[in-house]
Amino acid sequence: MKVIDRSDFTTLIDELIASDPRDVVGVQERGEQYVFDRLESADELTLDYDLTALSPKKYVMPQRETLLTYERTDDEYEMRAEADPTGHIVVGVHPYDLAAIEHLDKIFIDTLQDEPYRRKRENSVLIGVTMQDVADNCFAASMGTATVDSGYDLMVTDLGDAFAVDIGTFEGDQLLESTQTRNATAEEIERVAEIEADLTESFDRELAFPPAELPTLLEASYDDMDFWEDYAERCLSCGTCNVVCPTCFCFSVDMVRDLDDDSGRQERRWDGCLLEDFATVAQGENFREEVAQRHRHRFMRKGWYIYERYGDIACIGCGRCTSECVADVADPCDVYNKLYQEAQAYAQ
């Protein structure tokens, strides 16, 4: 572990902004929200935030992305791959968002072998930051994502006048080459451990049971439609919970034809299972026509289906879906705890 003075860290970020061909993005305060956006200066960077509106997922899996273009020449069509492989330097990523990106890596790189995702991901640098402020709806400690020991190139922890820096990768180490650092003392290493331990005690919200029990709990509740219908009664099917979720990875692919009829493009865009037409197939058949079915599917996917396939609980406990749901029905912590209470009552 290294230590870098606060002023030297600011200089490092400014140097990256000035010299690195990749965009340097970080957390900025915008009105009442925090957002990841392109940095013009290190002075714009905020590291003591509680929760951003969207996760940094958008830099490895863009909200809308052109995959290829086509153009007709004489009697033939010429196609060109257009997905941008350029990565980003992302500064100030909370541990739960790092865990979410590691989950996406399993899906897009290990399983789907998705080249547009892989190239952006491998060309990106993730600089994490130990949480200093916990959002009201966050329950990351219960999900084991309040702290992480992987998924970052650098992880910084605020020590006051300096930052402790844990180096996670060779590229992270290279970033520090031009910056003055020193080895952390035993006291500073202990201080980082204390900060992380104190953090796990500062969450107001928590699961009433270990997350490892989620798959079994959800499987047992699958046919309890009274519960799902009651809980989803106010759901507007707006899909906001899908859009803000760091681990949602569903997308649609559209062929967009230009007005001249001789050219066009293939676009990928985010999609979500809470949207009414998400499960609609040929001839208008909809496999999840009712809102309760879609609501149930979202929670089953987070806590059961994904676990069976990838070994991950796909809810990281960030609380974004809860914060952004206008109908107040998207809270995973509330849903899981109520299901657990019902199961406990039934068992008695």
Side-chain angles (χ1 to χ4, degrees):
M1 184 175 290
K2 301 289 186 179
V3 171
I4 179 172
D5 287 344
R6 184 177 290 273
S7 60
D8 289 331
F9 181 78
T10 298
T11 300
L12 170 63
I13 300 302
D14 280 331
E15 288 177 352
L16 290 172
I17 292 170
S19 62
D20 200 285
R22 295 166 292 189
D23 279 345
V24 180
V25 299
V27 180
Q28 303 175 42
E29 188 172 0
R30 297 284 175 80
E32 297 181 355
Q33 285 189 322
Y34 294 102
V35 299
F36 279 96
D37 205 351
R38 185 173 181 270
L39 294 171
E40 299 290 343
S41 164
D43 293 336
E44 297 176 334
L45 182 63
T46 299
L47 295 180
D48 59 350
Y49 68 97
D50 55 358
L51 184 69
T52 58
L54 288 179
S55 78
K57 174 183 77 173
K58 62 184 180 179
Y59 296 113
V60 291
M61 182 188 175
Q63 292 146 300
R64 185 177 293 274
E65 177 180 27
T66 298
L67 299 178
L68 62 83
T69 58
Y70 68 87
E71 185 175 6
R72 185 166 64 181
T73 304
D74 297 328
D75 293 329
E76 297 182 353
Y77 280 95
E78 179 182 349
M79 292 190 176
R80 295 182 296 275
E82 296 288 350
D84 186 359
T86 306
H88 294 77
I89 299 176
V90 189
V91 187
V93 186
H94 275 174
Y96 48 76
D97 280 333
L98 292 168
I101 290 177
E102 281 198 301
H103 171 68
L104 295 178
D105 289 347
K106 289 184 181 181
I107 293 163
F108 282 99
I109 298 177
D110 298 345
T111 303
L112 299 180
Q113 298 180 352
D114 187 282
E115 278 299 293
Y117 178 94
R118 182 191 65 79
R119 294 168 73 188
K120 279 189 284 289
R121 178 69 179 90
E122 292 182 354
N123 292 330
S124 293
V125 171
L126 301 180
I127 301 178
V129 61
T130 302
M131 297 170 64
Q132 299 176 57
D133 190 10
V134 175
D136 292 341
N137 294 311
C138 186
F139 58 104
S142 290
M143 306 309 295
T145 58
T147 61
V148 293
D149 55 12
S150 64
Y152 52 83
D153 296 283
L154 297 173
M155 172 65 76
V156 301
T157 302
D158 194 339
L159 298 179
D161 293 335
F163 290 103
V165 185
D166 185 23
I167 300 172
T169 66
F170 175 76
E171 185 163 9
D173 191 28
Q174 293 292 102
L175 285 182
L176 297 178
E177 274 197 340
S178 62
T179 303
Q180 184 173 353
T181 63
R182 60 176 173 81
N183 291 330
T185 65
E187 290 78 10
E188 287 167 332
I189 294 173
E190 184 178 352
R191 177 59 183 147
V192 170
E194 289 174 354
I195 290 172
E196 292 182 345
D198 291 344
L199 174 66
T200 60
E201 300 297 325
S202 63
F203 287 79
D204 293 330
R205 310 198 68 218
E206 62 181 8
L207 284 185
F209 57 95
E213 297 180 17
L214 258 178
T216 301
L217 178 66
L218 287 170
E219 183 177 7
S221 69
Y222 183 86
D223 292 322
D224 187 2
M225 289 309 299
D226 288 340
F227 175 87
W228 297 111
E229 287 171 0
D230 179 65
Y231 202 85
E233 186 176 3
R234 300 190 313 275
C235 179
L236 303 176
S237 296
C238 65
T240 300
C241 54
N242 296 138
V243 170
V244 300
C245 179
T247 64
C248 275
F249 59 86
C250 290
F251 59 85
S252 293
V253 176
D254 301 318
M255 294 301 297
V256 182
R257 181 178 293 178
D258 295 335
L259 292 177
D260 61 15
D261 205 35
D262 288 331
S263 61
R265 62 194 181 279
Q266 184 188 64
E267 289 186 344
R268 172 160 66 184
R269 58 179 172 82
W270 290 359
D271 207 345
C273 59
L274 260 293
L275 298 175
E276 188 173 356
D277 292 332
F278 179 80
T280 300
V281 295
Q283 298 185 352
E285 177 66 28
N286 192 332
F287 289 98
R288 287 188 291 275
E289 188 172 9
E290 301 299 326
V291 64
Q293 295 173 321
R294 299 193 293 275
H295 206 73
R296 177 184 64 181
H297 177 78
R298 172 180 171 244
F299 288 105
M300 293 290 170
R301 190 169 179 83
K302 295 297 176 189
W304 177 21
Y305 302 159
I306 295 295
Y307 178 81
E308 283 198 329
R309 185 166 185 183
Y310 299 104
D312 289 339
I313 301 296
C315 177
I316 57 167
C318 67
R320 286 186 178 93
C321 56
T322 309
S323 299
E324 301 300 328
C325 179
V326 296
D328 194 22
V329 293
D331 185 352
C333 190
D334 185 45
V335 169
Y336 297 150
N337 282 341
K338 284 182 177 177
L339 285 174
Y340 180 73
Q341 291 166 5
E342 285 195 1
Q344 292 296 101
Y346 180 78
Q348 294 174 359

Short mmCIF file of all heavy atoms in Angstrom, two decimals, residues 6-7 13 60 95 132-133 141 172 195 243 269 291 297 304 320 331:
data_model
loop_
_atom_site.label_atom_id
_atom_site.label_comp_id
_atom_site.label_asym_id
_atom_site.label_seq_id
_atom_site.Cartn_x
_atom_site.Cartn_y
_atom_site.Cartn_z
N ARG A 6 -2.51 14.68 -0.70
CA ARG A 6 -3.72 15.13 -1.38
C ARG A 6 -3.39 16.02 -2.57
O ARG A 6 -3.99 15.90 -3.65
CB ARG A 6 -4.63 15.85 -0.39
CG ARG A 6 -5.97 16.30 -0.97
CD ARG A 6 -6.83 16.93 0.11
NE ARG A 6 -7.28 15.94 1.06
CZ ARG A 6 -8.39 15.22 0.92
NH1 ARG A 6 -9.15 15.37 -0.16
NH2 ARG A 6 -8.75 14.36 1.84
N SER A 7 -2.43 16.93 -2.40
CA SER A 7 -2.06 17.84 -3.50
C SER A 7 -1.45 17.07 -4.66
O SER A 7 -1.68 17.40 -5.84
CB SER A 7 -1.09 18.90 -3.00
OG SER A 7 0.10 18.31 -2.49
N ILE A 13 -4.38 13.65 -11.20
CA ILE A 13 -5.62 13.68 -11.99
C ILE A 13 -5.52 14.74 -13.09
O ILE A 13 -5.91 14.49 -14.24
CB ILE A 13 -6.83 13.94 -11.07
CG1 ILE A 13 -6.97 12.83 -10.02
CG2 ILE A 13 -8.11 14.04 -11.90
CD1 ILE A 13 -7.12 11.44 -10.58
N VAL A 60 -18.63 1.22 -19.92
CA VAL A 60 -18.25 -0.05 -20.55
C VAL A 60 -19.43 -0.68 -21.31
O VAL A 60 -19.24 -1.50 -22.20
CB VAL A 60 -17.71 -1.05 -19.49
CG1 VAL A 60 -16.37 -0.58 -18.98
CG2 VAL A 60 -18.69 -1.28 -18.36
N PRO A 95 -17.03 0.74 -3.95
CA PRO A 95 -16.82 -0.71 -4.02
C PRO A 95 -17.98 -1.49 -4.62
O PRO A 95 -17.76 -2.44 -5.38
CB PRO A 95 -16.58 -1.09 -2.55
CG PRO A 95 -15.96 0.13 -1.96
CD PRO A 95 -16.67 1.28 -2.62
N GLN A 132 -17.20 7.18 2.04
CA GLN A 132 -17.13 8.06 3.20
C GLN A 132 -18.53 8.42 3.70
O GLN A 132 -18.70 8.77 4.87
CB GLN A 132 -16.38 9.35 2.84
CG GLN A 132 -14.95 9.12 2.39
CD GLN A 132 -14.28 10.39 1.96
OE1 GLN A 132 -14.20 11.36 2.71
NE2 GLN A 132 -13.78 10.41 0.72
N ASP A 133 -19.51 8.36 2.82
CA ASP A 133 -20.88 8.71 3.17
C ASP A 133 -21.80 7.63 2.62
O ASP A 133 -21.69 7.26 1.45
CB ASP A 133 -21.23 10.09 2.57
CG ASP A 133 -22.55 10.63 3.11
OD1 ASP A 133 -23.09 10.05 4.07
OD2 ASP A 133 -23.03 11.65 2.57
N ALA A 141 -23.43 -3.29 2.80
CA ALA A 141 -22.74 -4.10 3.80
C ALA A 141 -23.38 -5.48 3.90
O ALA A 141 -22.68 -6.49 4.05
CB ALA A 141 -22.77 -3.41 5.17
N GLY A 172 -2.46 0.11 -12.82
CA GLY A 172 -2.60 1.03 -11.71
C GLY A 172 -1.24 1.46 -11.17
O GLY A 172 -1.02 2.64 -10.85
N ILE A 195 -11.08 2.24 9.09
CA ILE A 195 -12.09 2.99 8.31
C ILE A 195 -13.07 2.02 7.66
O ILE A 195 -14.29 2.25 7.68
CB ILE A 195 -11.39 3.87 7.26
CG1 ILE A 195 -10.65 5.03 7.94
CG2 ILE A 195 -12.40 4.40 6.24
CD1 ILE A 195 -9.77 5.83 6.99
N VAL A 243 -32.98 0.80 -15.49
CA VAL A 243 -32.05 1.76 -16.07
C VAL A 243 -30.95 2.13 -15.08
O VAL A 243 -29.77 2.26 -15.45
CB VAL A 243 -32.80 3.03 -16.53
CG1 VAL A 243 -31.83 4.14 -16.92
CG2 VAL A 243 -33.72 2.70 -17.70
N ARG A 269 -29.04 -0.83 -27.47
CA ARG A 269 -29.50 0.10 -26.44
C ARG A 269 -29.98 -0.68 -25.22
O ARG A 269 -30.39 -1.83 -25.32
CB ARG A 269 -30.63 0.99 -26.96
CG ARG A 269 -31.84 0.22 -27.47
CD ARG A 269 -32.95 1.13 -27.97
NE ARG A 269 -34.01 0.39 -28.62
CZ ARG A 269 -35.00 -0.23 -27.96
NH1 ARG A 269 -35.04 -0.20 -26.65
NH2 ARG A 269 -35.94 -0.89 -28.63
N VAL A 291 -48.01 -7.02 -14.75
CA VAL A 291 -46.95 -6.29 -14.07
C VAL A 291 -46.38 -7.10 -12.91
O VAL A 291 -45.17 -7.04 -12.64
CB VAL A 291 -47.47 -4.92 -13.59
CG1 VAL A 291 -48.57 -5.06 -12.55
CG2 VAL A 291 -46.32 -4.08 -13.03
N HIS A 297 -40.13 -11.31 -11.83
CA HIS A 297 -38.99 -11.71 -12.65
C HIS A 297 -37.74 -10.90 -12.29
O HIS A 297 -36.63 -11.46 -12.21
CB HIS A 297 -39.31 -11.53 -14.13
CG HIS A 297 -38.16 -11.85 -15.04
ND1 HIS A 297 -37.80 -13.14 -15.36
CD2 HIS A 297 -37.27 -11.04 -15.69
CE1 HIS A 297 -36.75 -13.12 -16.16
NE2 HIS A 297 -36.41 -11.86 -16.38
N TRP A 304 -31.79 -15.18 -7.80
CA TRP A 304 -31.89 -16.64 -8.00
C TRP A 304 -31.32 -17.06 -9.35
O TRP A 304 -30.35 -17.82 -9.44
CB TRP A 304 -33.34 -17.09 -7.84
CG TRP A 304 -33.59 -18.55 -8.09
CD1 TRP A 304 -32.68 -19.56 -8.06
CD2 TRP A 304 -34.84 -19.15 -8.45
NE1 TRP A 304 -33.27 -20.76 -8.36
CE2 TRP A 304 -34.60 -20.55 -8.60
CE3 TRP A 304 -36.13 -18.67 -8.64
CZ2 TRP A 304 -35.61 -21.45 -8.95
CZ3 TRP A 304 -37.14 -19.56 -8.97
CH2 TRP A 304 -36.87 -20.94 -9.12
N ARG A 320 -29.96 2.36 -5.63
CA ARG A 320 -30.39 3.28 -6.68
C ARG A 320 -31.84 3.06 -7.09
O ARG A 320 -32.60 4.01 -7.29
CB ARG A 320 -29.48 3.14 -7.91
CG ARG A 320 -28.10 3.75 -7.74
CD ARG A 320 -27.33 3.71 -9.06
NE ARG A 320 -26.01 4.33 -8.96
CZ ARG A 320 -24.90 3.67 -8.68
NH1 ARG A 320 -24.94 2.35 -8.48
NH2 ARG A 320 -23.74 4.30 -8.60
N ASP A 331 -37.80 -1.50 -3.89
CA ASP A 331 -36.79 -1.70 -2.85
C ASP A 331 -36.46 -3.17 -2.63
O ASP A 331 -37.26 -3.91 -2.05
CB ASP A 331 -37.30 -1.08 -1.55
CG ASP A 331 -36.27 -1.12 -0.44
OD1 ASP A 331 -35.21 -1.76 -0.62
OD2 ASP A 331 -36.53 -0.51 0.61
#
